[in-house]
Amino acid sequence: MRPDRGHIDSRLSHSIKCDHTLGSVSDRMRRLSVSSAFEGGSIDVDAADDPQDVRLRLKPDDDEIDTHWFYFRLTGARDQDCKLTFVNSDRMARLAGREEVPDCWTGYRPWVSDDGEAWRRTDGEYQNGIFSIRHRPARDTVHFAYYPPYRMAEHDRLIAFALADKRARLEVLGRTPDGWDLDMLQIGTPAAGKPKCWIMGRQHPSETMASFFMEGFVRRLLDPADALARTLTEEAVFYVVPTMNPDGAVRGRTRTNARGMNLNRAWAEPDPHKAPEVVLVRDRMIAEGADFCLDAHGDEELPYVFLGGPLNVPSRTDRVADLFAAYTQAQHRANPDYRPEDPYPGGMPAEADLRMAWNWVGEEFGCLSVLLEQPFKDAGHAPDPQLGWSPARCTHFGATTLDALAAVLPELRP
Ligand SMILES: [Zn+2]
């Protein structure tokens, strides 16, 4: 069940204040407007009088310092050269301890869409810690986003696609604070000895590449013409949570849920009030068990795809370390967009942070548990000058994850 429309409108009403419709000297200036009053929208407007100097403010998540996500519509600037500046983009350029990695705006190119559906990159400008978009809209409206949005209607379509196949069942794990169902797909039939594989994404709502990854993973897993996928659904059971944080996604948050919680810092001791999404998935996982887990994310800074394994959890074993090495090699063979040699950003920490899902799962179940980080920018060793790291590459990466998983499947259970 979904929240009714009135509920959504009241949640977004704060955004409506962002709309600036100006009555000023010239007709072209009077028509300029910036709005984020729609699902996933996020921006604050300081000034939208002059297309050459639109001043915007990235909205922080509650007390989180992270501020990246933007998604808004600009109206009234057709055929005009526009400069849109994020005046607070210096607030959060780099994550701590990552000095060897380029900051999040260096090499970043924003996404633009004429119709809100088809997205391409446009030009950015980064000077003295302040990032601006340079664009000349061809139409009266143009959408900008940090990465192409993935809305709940698309989540619903993916669920509906899966449920058309008898191998898939839907389980609603519970309800989020904003009233969304927390959906889990079970694919394959449980039986003694079959590995239990958990795949989840979008703990961090701004990392929509995780949703495009899920599209590729689920759609290939249920492709009846794909023999490898068929074998996987016969020999394993999959528990897939495509959208861990619907509230944050709808509200246009960078990292948090409706209660201001970064869910990927809640797994060790989840607070049922602040992180009910984690409690629901974690309880189900404890009841069912886990032999594999992949948690899909995006990274603002990294110019490569990164896979992390549970190599520094307290219960670390050589068996799991060897499994992770085999998994990464198989992923590279299946999709050279990923290279095993690309380093742990900032260096491998001495001790795993068990508040993070992949570490907690690896520790709790002693299994292969993988963190996936896809870039917002591009994979530097295999660049796409037009689109960089695109939704299509995310989807392909999700599909090729099946090859990596198939390579280690017989060894997942000790
Ligand atoms: Zn993340």
Side-chain angles (χ1 to χ4, degrees), residues 314-334:
S315 66
R316 176 195 189 282
T317 60
D318 289 346
R319 187 187 83 83
V320 171
D322 292 346
L323 263 179
F324 179 63
Y327 180 85
T328 57
Q329 292 297 335
Q331 180 65 76
H332 173 65
R333 282 194 300 276

Side-chain angles (χ1 to χ4, degrees), residues 204 207 255 297-298 373:
H204 292 150
E207 297 161 12
R255 292 216 209 276
H297 287 258
E373 297 279 7

Side-chain angles (χ1 to χ4, degrees), residues 198 200 267 281-282 285 289-295 310 313 315 354 356-370:
W198 290 78
M200 56 187 172
W267 283 74
V281 176
R282 192 179 175 275
M285 211 179 257
D291 300 298
F292 174 84
C293 180
L294 185 145
D295 184 24
V313 298
S315 66
L354 298 179
M356 297 182 183
W358 59 305
N359 285 324
W360 180 81
V361 173
E363 174 67 10
E364 178 74 16
F365 300 98
C367 69
L368 176 58
S369 179
V370 175

Side-chain angles (χ1 to χ4, degrees), residues 122-301:
T122 188
D123 294 322
E125 183 180 291
Y126 187 35
Q127 285 181 336
N128 305 319
I130 298 296
F131 190 83
S132 302
I133 298 173
R134 292 273 192 186
H135 189 73
R136 186 180 174 87
R139 300 188 189 176
D140 283 332
T141 63
V142 59
H143 289 76
F144 297 94
Y146 193 42
Y147 202 78
Y150 184 96
R151 290 168 287 254
M152 290 307 288
E154 292 165 278
H155 166 98
D156 289 344
R157 278 199 289 276
L158 180 63
I159 299 291
F161 162 83
L163 296 182
D165 190 307
K166 292 276 184 250
R167 291 172 292 175
R169 307 290 302 265
L170 180 69
E171 184 175 331
V172 176
L173 297 176
R175 190 76 41 86
T176 68
D178 281 345
W180 294 87
D181 283 348
L182 192 61
D183 290 342
M184 183 187 81
L185 288 168
Q186 179 188 303
I187 300 173
T189 309
K194 278 190 188 180
K196 293 162 178 170
C197 301
W198 290 78
I199 316 289
M200 56 187 172
R202 280 309 273 294
Q203 288 202 79
H204 292 150
S206 59
E207 297 161 12
T208 57
M209 54 281 287
S211 295
F212 296 113
F213 167 91
M214 285 292 175
E215 287 274 340
F217 185 88
V218 170
R219 287 181 188 273
R220 185 180 173 200
L221 187 62
L222 289 170
D223 180 352
D226 191 315
L228 182 136
R230 263 198 338 263
T231 304
L232 281 172
T233 59
E234 285 160 12
E235 296 182 353
V237 187
F238 293 85
Y239 301 90
V240 182
V241 185
T243 309
M244 279 286 301
N245 187 354
D247 295 2
V250 171
R251 285 171 176 240
R253 298 288 177 94
T254 292
R255 292 216 209 276
T256 64
N257 70 353
R259 297 196 166 136
M261 189 71 204
N262 178 341
L263 297 183
N264 206 31
R265 298 294 182 277
W267 283 74
E269 292 174 42
D271 178 328
H273 176 73
K274 289 173 115 175
E277 301 90 342
V278 173
V279 172
L280 291 168
V281 176
R282 192 179 175 275
D283 285 356
R284 193 69 181 78
M285 211 179 257
I286 289 170
E288 201 64 52
D291 300 298
F292 174 84
C293 180
L294 185 145
D295 184 24
H297 287 258
D299 190 291
E300 297 87 349
E301 296 171 350

